[in-house]
Amino acid sequence: MQHRIVVLGAGYAGAVAAGRLARRLRPEDVAITLVNAEPDFVERVRMHQLATGQELRPRPFAEMFAGTGVRLRLARVTAVDVDRKTVTTVPTAEDGVPEPAELEYDTLVYALGSAGDDQGVPGAAEHADQIASRPGALRLRRRLADLQAGERVLVVGGGLTGLEAATEIAEARPDLDVALAARGALGDRLSPKGRRHLRKVLDGLGVTVHEHTAVTAVAPDHVTTAEGAVVPAAVTLWTTGFAVHPLSRATALEVTDAGRIVVDKTMRSVSHPDVYAVGDAALATGPAGNPLRMSCASGLPMAWQAADSIAARLTGGKLPDTPLRYVNQCVSLGRRQGLIQYVTADDRAVRAALTGRTAALYKELICKGAAWAVAHPMLGLPSRRRRVVPDAARSDAPLTTTTPA
């Protein structure tokens, strides 16, 4: 008899959760299925690099999970029934599975992540580009390649994604007129040192910054601001935030108004104990009770917490009690400059910041480390896998084990 664990989504959080579960549990006791629409891992934190013409290393899931016991199903998730404990999928590649297919689970890890959020601004969905996905980044790549010298690229959004995109584009294409529109002050969540360095880099790259500028409409060749100003743009890149996959709202799970699944400190759904949520899809809180931001920095520790909690409950082990906290915010500003803003546990900037080439190398190391964690799911933990124990010996509320259909 095997306990069936289904992981939905193989971004940073989902892929790491699946690999860590395979490392923690004996393959004869559990059947782990990882469902993802694409066959390769997408380094989402590098989409601005992909958009500017840089080539990224392929990372096929078939190679990453070979020999781990994790079964990969290439499919798009169309429905989740948390009362019947089933997932409906439509294959996206030859998988030997009839179309559509229904998966039954004993434990579900929901990690479907997020997409770019146009926030309902008129014209943004039709005319603006986004880099929250690989198809979006590749589309922007083609559009940038077609631009002539002097044409303007307007990046809307002054958060970390917008800053990385604007500087990457300006560095890769110094012949273009790159501008950034920020709703608030430039780098308003950074320390004074961080803001000074950010402004210095943007000035050096020739990026025009429009602070306190809200874009209220997007057209093919311009945007309109809240003040009624018209800003010409051959390409508009929208980076104002992320929206979670809409599927969560269609379930019986307790979710926020934005659709994020409400979880406890073990990443377990507060309404359905057989469901865990990690990454952008989940609303987890930090030490001060504030929601964790949507980021790789949040997703990886959430995945570790969920996997360790599931393993502990199944094996009768001790539940993890590690608080989720932040240490820094890592920002690439092109390939030669970076900014490491040190923060409190609940993500508020402190005075200290690392800048320049050293910060760029630090950020690159962080990106490589995150990709390494995904690509090597069986490394980094003790080699001994624990046996699943009967319900009565398990930690906290029991999880059921059934015979696979």
Side-chain angles (χ1 to χ4, degrees):
M1 297 176 65
Q2 289 181 305
H3 185 91
R4 298 164 300 184
I5 301 175
V6 174
V7 182
L8 303 182
Y12 287 97
V16 166
R20 196 170 180 97
L21 284 165
R23 182 67 170 171
R24 292 290 196 195
L25 301 168
R26 292 158 54 102
E28 56 266 39
D29 292 341
V30 295
I32 303 172
T33 302
L34 178 61
V35 182
N36 198 63
E38 297 188 61
D40 301 319
F41 173 65
V42 176
E43 287 189 82
R44 193 176 189 182
V45 298
R46 294 189 187 274
M47 289 300 96
H48 55 287
Q49 296 176 237
L50 183 64
T52 55
Q54 299 171 50
E55 298 299 332
L56 304 183
R57 175 184 174 186
R59 298 183 185 275
F61 287 120
E63 295 179 8
M64 289 163 50
F65 287 102
T68 66
V70 175
R71 179 190 175 189
L72 177 64
R73 175 166 290 189
L74 297 178
R76 181 170 53 87
V77 180
T78 58
V80 177
D81 189 328
V82 293
D83 295 320
R84 293 180 55 238
K85 299 171 69 170
T86 61
V87 175
T88 304
T89 65
V90 176
T92 55
E94 289 298 326
D95 192 26
V97 178
E99 181 180 357
E102 189 173 82
L103 285 171
E104 295 181 340
Y105 66 81
D106 298 307
T107 297
L108 179 71
V109 180
Y110 188 106
L112 289 179
S114 64
D117 185 5
D118 60 33
Q119 300 180 336
V121 172
E126 296 84 1
H127 305 303
D129 285 275
Q130 56 83 17
I131 53 171
S133 66
R134 180 158 52 187
L138 290 173
R139 179 178 184 272
L140 177 60
R141 177 177 179 149
R142 292 190 294 270
R143 296 200 65 196
L144 291 176
D146 289 339
L147 292 183
Q148 303 299 312
E151 291 192 276
R152 174 173 291 171
V153 177
L154 176 64
V155 179
V156 180
L160 303 187
T161 303
L163 296 175
E164 292 194 328
T167 51
E168 198 78 43
I169 294 170
E171 182 183 272
R173 290 290 305 274
D175 59 317
L176 297 178
D177 176 9
V178 180
L180 174 71
R183 181 180 289 271
L186 180 65
D188 54 6
R189 297 193 63 189
L190 301 173
S191 65
K193 179 180 179 180
R195 289 195 297 271
R196 287 194 300 270
H197 182 69
L198 175 60
R199 194 171 293 277
K200 176 183 176 181
V201 172
L202 289 170
D203 288 346
L205 291 171
V207 177
T208 302
V209 178
H210 301 278
E211 298 182 84
H212 306 289
T213 300
V215 173
T216 55
V218 181
D221 59 355
H222 69 272
V223 304
T224 304
T225 71
E227 291 75 26
V230 173
V231 181
V235 170
T236 298
L237 174 58
W238 199 265
T239 67
T240 61
F242 302 100
V244 300
H245 194 291
L247 193 62
S248 59
R249 288 193 185 92
T251 71
L253 294 166
E254 182 174 334
V255 300
T256 67
D257 291 342
R260 299 180 78 181
I261 299 169
V262 183
V263 297
D264 63 18
K265 65 180 182 180
T266 68
M267 303 302 110
R268 194 184 207 182
S269 164
V270 298
S271 62
H272 290 75
D274 298 307
V275 178
Y276 291 72
V278 295
D280 292 356
L283 180 73
T285 57
N290 298 321
L292 299 181
R293 57 183 161 90
M294 294 183 179
S295 65
C296 177
S298 304
L300 289 179
M302 291 167 75
W304 299 331
Q305 192 90 320
D308 292 352
S309 297
I310 293 169
R313 288 187 167 112
L314 286 175
T315 62
K318 182 181 178 181
L319 285 170
D321 191 26
T322 305
L324 302 181
R325 57 154 298 155
Y326 295 103
V327 176
N328 52 41
Q329 296 178 7
C330 302
V331 192
S332 64
L333 302 173
R335 295 298 87 204
R336 295 184 290 273
Q337 289 285 336
L339 170 61
I340 308 301
Q341 175 63 65
Y342 295 100
V343 297
T344 61
D346 59 341
D347 210 26
R348 290 178 292 110
V350 299
R351 293 180 61 184
L354 183 67
T355 62
R357 178 62 177 167
T358 303
L361 293 173
Y362 186 106
K363 170 63 187 295
E364 180 62 20
L365 183 62
I366 292 296
C367 291
K368 288 182 176 179
W372 188 93
V374 175
H376 299 83
M378 300 302 282
L379 298 179
L381 289 171
S383 59
R384 181 172 173 266
R385 298 176 179 178
R386 301 193 64 182
R387 179 184 294 275
V388 171
V389 299
D391 290 354
R394 293 181 187 168
S395 307
D396 200 36
L399 298 176
T400 58
T401 302
T402 57
T403 303

